[in-house]
Amino acid sequence: MKQEPTYYVVSNPEPPEDAALHVLFSGESQTNPLHRLGPKVYDYFLIHTVISGRGRFTAAGRELLLGPGDSFCIAPEQLVGYEADEADPWRYCWLAVTGAEAAAHMRKAGFTPEQPVIYTAHAGRRVPALFRRLQRALRHKSGAASLRALGYLHLLLAEYADAARPPLPEPGKAHSRSRAEVTVQQMLHYLSAQYAEDISIESMAEALGYNRAYLSRLFKEHTGQTPVSFLSKLRVDKARQLLRERLELTIEQIAFSVGFRDPLYFSKQFRRWYGLSPTDYRSDMKRM
């Protein structure tokens, strides 16, 4: 069935000055057959996601055939061209992004000059829905429009980052070293950021989307210790720093501050790692 061509765009009513990242405008279009843009360059990042139909995207001497679920990113000063299919012209959403940190955010999302396309069909309607919510935010023409649009942009980039990640290996099957290293790094970041909270290995596995047994095995393979042991040592090391630097805090307050809920268990763990109690350690530090 032939689609009637449409075109819609909304601009940021108050683009912030010198912002690290902000949205300039966003839109949606059902193109005509063979509708072509370029070859041309832009002075901002321009992300498109294909909702339906097909087309061709040309950059760096490569022509890529794209369809529903594909998103492509154009970098500033990159010579590109893109053209709708003759028989099934595409419908797409787009948005323009600029700012001092825009390039870094695009890389984190998975867009690079070598890989300008991310396939997001598995995300269902979430990506187009985020584009449209961003557009509605800009339509409000209020002082908060930029902030709302920026929030949706971050959610959109998170969808791309998830889609760009290699698929997770099944438990018991071989996994690539690079994928495993990334996973272990995620665990290290999680534990290092959350150590003072009431966390467990089960909660970390749930937060990161992994099987607990697989997660623990992978961590042990790459670090030589279990996640439980790593977390205990991390908490004790943080407590040791507080014992030296925050003399006004009691042993109980320090235990609670680093994630131990039982001061007696904290003392037991501290002695396990350093061979003396927290009280004796603090006394030794005072005598130095």
Side-chain angles (χ1 to χ4, degrees), residues 10 16 29 32 40 60 114 117 126 144-145 150 156 187 194 199 203 233 240 250 254 270:
V10 58
S29 178
N32 278 310
K40 63 186 298 186
E114 298 74 27
V117 177
R126 289 199 301 271
L150 187 59
L156 186 60
M187 287 187 272
Q194 302 289 329
I199 62 170
S203 64
K233 179 63 162 52
R240 191 170 66 140
T250 67
I254 288 175
F270 196 95

mmCIF file of all heavy atoms in Angstrom, residues 10 16 29 32 40 60 114 117 126 144-145 150 156 187 194 199 203 233 240 250 254 270:
data_model
loop_
_atom_site.group_PDB
_atom_site.id
_atom_site.type_symbol
_atom_site.label_atom_id
_atom_site.label_comp_id
_atom_site.label_asym_id
_atom_site.label_seq_id
_atom_site.Cartn_x
_atom_site.Cartn_y
_atom_site.Cartn_z
ATOM 1 N N VAL A 10 10.338 19.527 14.907
ATOM 2 C CA VAL A 10 10.161 20.470 16.005
ATOM 3 C C VAL A 10 11.538 20.807 16.554
ATOM 4 O O VAL A 10 12.384 19.928 16.731
ATOM 5 C CB VAL A 10 9.245 19.886 17.109
ATOM 6 C CG1 VAL A 10 9.785 18.584 17.662
ATOM 7 C CG2 VAL A 10 9.035 20.894 18.219
ATOM 8 N N PRO A 16 20.187 25.441 25.248
ATOM 9 C CA PRO A 16 21.093 26.037 26.234
ATOM 10 C C PRO A 16 22.426 26.427 25.610
ATOM 11 O O PRO A 16 22.911 25.770 24.683
ATOM 12 C CB PRO A 16 21.266 24.921 27.264
ATOM 13 C CG PRO A 16 20.975 23.667 26.512
ATOM 14 C CD PRO A 16 19.928 24.025 25.499
ATOM 15 N N SER A 29 9.420 11.556 9.178
ATOM 16 C CA SER A 29 9.018 11.733 7.786
ATOM 17 C C SER A 29 8.730 10.399 7.117
ATOM 18 O O SER A 29 9.452 9.428 7.332
ATOM 19 C CB SER A 29 10.121 12.454 7.008
ATOM 20 O OG SER A 29 9.764 12.602 5.647
ATOM 21 N N ASN A 32 9.196 10.141 -0.054
ATOM 22 C CA ASN A 32 8.817 9.735 -1.394
ATOM 23 C C ASN A 32 9.778 8.667 -1.904
ATOM 24 O O ASN A 32 10.904 8.558 -1.414
ATOM 25 C CB ASN A 32 8.870 10.926 -2.351
ATOM 26 C CG ASN A 32 7.632 11.781 -2.277
ATOM 27 O OD1 ASN A 32 6.514 11.280 -2.352
ATOM 28 N ND2 ASN A 32 7.825 13.089 -2.140
ATOM 29 N N LYS A 40 26.350 15.361 1.425
ATOM 30 C CA LYS A 40 26.462 16.599 2.159
ATOM 31 C C LYS A 40 27.109 16.343 3.509
ATOM 32 O O LYS A 40 27.295 15.191 3.907
ATOM 33 C CB LYS A 40 25.083 17.234 2.348
ATOM 34 C CG LYS A 40 24.126 16.395 3.187
ATOM 35 C CD LYS A 40 22.721 16.986 3.226
ATOM 36 C CE LYS A 40 22.662 18.340 3.859
ATOM 37 N NZ LYS A 40 21.295 18.862 4.019
ATOM 38 N N ALA A 60 31.731 7.073 3.942
ATOM 39 C CA ALA A 60 33.094 6.540 3.875
ATOM 40 C C ALA A 60 33.250 5.497 2.773
ATOM 41 O O ALA A 60 33.956 4.496 2.928
ATOM 42 C CB ALA A 60 33.497 5.946 5.218
ATOM 43 N N GLU A 114 33.359 3.712 12.026
ATOM 44 C CA GLU A 114 33.493 2.384 11.434
ATOM 45 C C GLU A 114 32.194 1.596 11.522
ATOM 46 O O GLU A 114 31.948 0.700 10.714
ATOM 47 C CB GLU A 114 34.613 1.598 12.125
ATOM 48 C CG GLU A 114 36.008 2.203 12.002
ATOM 49 C CD GLU A 114 36.198 3.430 12.885
ATOM 50 O OE1 GLU A 114 35.499 3.525 13.925
ATOM 51 O OE2 GLU A 114 37.025 4.291 12.521
ATOM 52 N N VAL A 117 25.862 2.085 12.146
ATOM 53 C CA VAL A 117 24.509 1.521 12.160
ATOM 54 C C VAL A 117 24.350 0.578 13.346
ATOM 55 O O VAL A 117 25.243 -0.222 13.639
ATOM 56 C CB VAL A 117 24.211 0.761 10.855
ATOM 57 C CG1 VAL A 117 22.830 0.115 10.916
ATOM 58 C CG2 VAL A 117 24.308 1.694 9.659
ATOM 59 N N ARG A 126 10.239 0.547 21.437
ATOM 60 C CA ARG A 126 10.799 1.472 22.424
ATOM 61 C C ARG A 126 11.578 2.612 21.782
ATOM 62 O O ARG A 126 11.477 3.765 22.208
ATOM 63 C CB ARG A 126 11.702 0.723 23.413
ATOM 64 C CG ARG A 126 10.957 -0.169 24.378
ATOM 65 C CD ARG A 126 11.810 -0.507 25.589
ATOM 66 N NE ARG A 126 13.036 -1.182 25.236
ATOM 67 C CZ ARG A 126 13.155 -2.492 25.116
ATOM 68 N NH1 ARG A 126 12.098 -3.269 25.293
ATOM 69 N NH2 ARG A 126 14.315 -3.056 24.824
ATOM 70 N N ALA A 144 11.541 24.078 30.548
ATOM 71 C CA ALA A 144 12.026 22.745 30.890
ATOM 72 C C ALA A 144 12.110 21.820 29.680
ATOM 73 O O ALA A 144 12.462 20.653 29.823
ATOM 74 C CB ALA A 144 11.119 22.121 31.950
ATOM 75 N N ALA A 145 11.790 22.328 28.487
ATOM 76 C CA ALA A 145 11.775 21.487 27.288
ATOM 77 C C ALA A 145 13.132 20.856 27.030
ATOM 78 O O ALA A 145 13.237 19.670 26.706
ATOM 79 C CB ALA A 145 11.332 22.307 26.073
ATOM 80 N N LEU A 150 16.524 16.152 26.850
ATOM 81 C CA LEU A 150 17.805 15.552 27.187
ATOM 82 C C LEU A 150 17.605 14.233 27.937
ATOM 83 O O LEU A 150 18.347 13.266 27.734
ATOM 84 C CB LEU A 150 18.631 16.524 28.023
ATOM 85 C CG LEU A 150 20.076 16.118 28.325
ATOM 86 C CD1 LEU A 150 20.859 15.918 27.034
ATOM 87 C CD2 LEU A 150 20.740 17.169 29.197
ATOM 88 N N LEU A 156 17.322 7.019 25.079
ATOM 89 C CA LEU A 156 17.497 6.521 23.720
ATOM 90 C C LEU A 156 18.917 5.990 23.519
ATOM 91 O O LEU A 156 19.119 4.901 22.956
ATOM 92 C CB LEU A 156 17.199 7.644 22.727
ATOM 93 C CG LEU A 156 17.186 7.303 21.246
ATOM 94 C CD1 LEU A 156 16.137 6.242 20.954
ATOM 95 C CD2 LEU A 156 16.905 8.558 20.429
ATOM 96 N N MET A 187 30.964 -5.643 36.943
ATOM 97 C CA MET A 187 30.824 -6.100 38.325
ATOM 98 C C MET A 187 31.700 -5.282 39.268
ATOM 99 O O MET A 187 31.271 -4.907 40.368
ATOM 100 C CB MET A 187 31.187 -7.581 38.420
ATOM 101 C CG MET A 187 30.144 -8.511 37.831
ATOM 102 S SD MET A 187 30.525 -10.257 38.137
ATOM 103 C CE MET A 187 31.560 -10.609 36.714
ATOM 104 N N GLN A 194 28.599 0.544 45.061
ATOM 105 C CA GLN A 194 27.497 0.193 45.948
ATOM 106 C C GLN A 194 27.938 -0.445 47.269
ATOM 107 O O GLN A 194 27.092 -0.887 48.051
ATOM 108 C CB GLN A 194 26.547 -0.774 45.228
ATOM 109 C CG GLN A 194 25.957 -0.245 43.942
ATOM 110 C CD GLN A 194 24.944 0.837 44.171
ATOM 111 O OE1 GLN A 194 24.265 0.851 45.179
ATOM 112 N NE2 GLN A 194 24.845 1.768 43.241
ATOM 113 N N ILE A 199 23.883 -4.585 49.859
ATOM 114 C CA ILE A 199 23.824 -5.324 48.595
ATOM 115 C C ILE A 199 24.270 -6.759 48.824
ATOM 116 O O ILE A 199 24.860 -7.103 49.839
ATOM 117 C CB ILE A 199 24.706 -4.673 47.507
ATOM 118 C CG1 ILE A 199 26.182 -4.667 47.939
ATOM 119 C CG2 ILE A 199 24.223 -3.291 47.175
ATOM 120 C CD1 ILE A 199 27.130 -4.256 46.839
ATOM 121 N N SER A 203 21.639 -9.582 44.386
ATOM 122 C CA SER A 203 21.110 -8.294 43.904
ATOM 123 C C SER A 203 21.957 -7.752 42.772
ATOM 124 O O SER A 203 21.437 -7.126 41.838
ATOM 125 C CB SER A 203 21.044 -7.283 45.058
ATOM 126 O OG SER A 203 22.339 -6.979 45.559
ATOM 127 N N LYS A 233 36.682 -7.409 51.368
ATOM 128 C CA LYS A 233 37.975 -6.717 51.429
ATOM 129 C C LYS A 233 37.814 -5.238 51.081
ATOM 130 O O LYS A 233 38.451 -4.366 51.700
ATOM 131 C CB LYS A 233 38.949 -7.377 50.449
ATOM 132 C CG LYS A 233 40.343 -6.742 50.391
ATOM 133 C CD LYS A 233 41.066 -6.855 51.718
ATOM 134 C CE LYS A 233 42.572 -6.649 51.568
ATOM 135 N NZ LYS A 233 42.958 -5.444 50.870
ATOM 136 N N ARG A 240 39.248 0.939 57.031
ATOM 137 C CA ARG A 240 40.598 1.245 57.506
ATOM 138 C C ARG A 240 40.949 2.712 57.248
ATOM 139 O O ARG A 240 41.564 3.385 58.078
ATOM 140 C CB ARG A 240 41.607 0.329 56.823
ATOM 141 C CG ARG A 240 43.004 0.393 57.440
ATOM 142 C CD ARG A 240 43.896 -0.683 56.906
ATOM 143 N NE ARG A 240 44.183 -0.519 55.501
ATOM 144 C CZ ARG A 240 45.381 -0.745 54.946
ATOM 145 N NH1 ARG A 240 46.393 -1.143 55.705
ATOM 146 N NH2 ARG A 240 45.555 -0.603 53.660
ATOM 147 N N THR A 250 32.756 6.482 65.730
ATOM 148 C CA THR A 250 32.917 5.272 66.516
ATOM 149 C C THR A 250 33.118 4.077 65.587
ATOM 150 O O THR A 250 32.866 4.147 64.382
ATOM 151 C CB THR A 250 31.678 5.019 67.389
ATOM 152 O OG1 THR A 250 30.555 4.715 66.533
ATOM 153 C CG2 THR A 250 31.358 6.239 68.245
ATOM 154 N N ILE A 254 31.538 3.529 61.783
ATOM 155 C CA ILE A 254 32.363 3.198 60.623
ATOM 156 C C ILE A 254 31.881 1.904 59.973
ATOM 157 O O ILE A 254 31.804 1.803 58.744
ATOM 158 C CB ILE A 254 33.842 3.095 61.040
ATOM 159 C CG1 ILE A 254 34.394 4.493 61.346
ATOM 160 C CG2 ILE A 254 34.674 2.417 59.953
ATOM 161 C CD1 ILE A 254 35.803 4.510 61.871
ATOM 162 N N PHE A 270 37.585 -7.517 59.763
ATOM 163 C CA PHE A 270 38.767 -6.664 59.818
ATOM 164 C C PHE A 270 39.966 -7.476 60.330
ATOM 165 O O PHE A 270 41.073 -7.391 59.772
ATOM 166 C CB PHE A 270 38.518 -5.466 60.738
ATOM 167 C CG PHE A 270 39.513 -4.357 60.573
ATOM 168 C CD1 PHE A 270 39.245 -3.284 59.735
ATOM 169 C CD2 PHE A 270 40.726 -4.377 61.246
ATOM 170 C CE1 PHE A 270 40.167 -2.261 59.576
ATOM 171 C CE2 PHE A 270 41.660 -3.365 61.097
ATOM 172 C CZ PHE A 270 41.374 -2.304 60.255
#
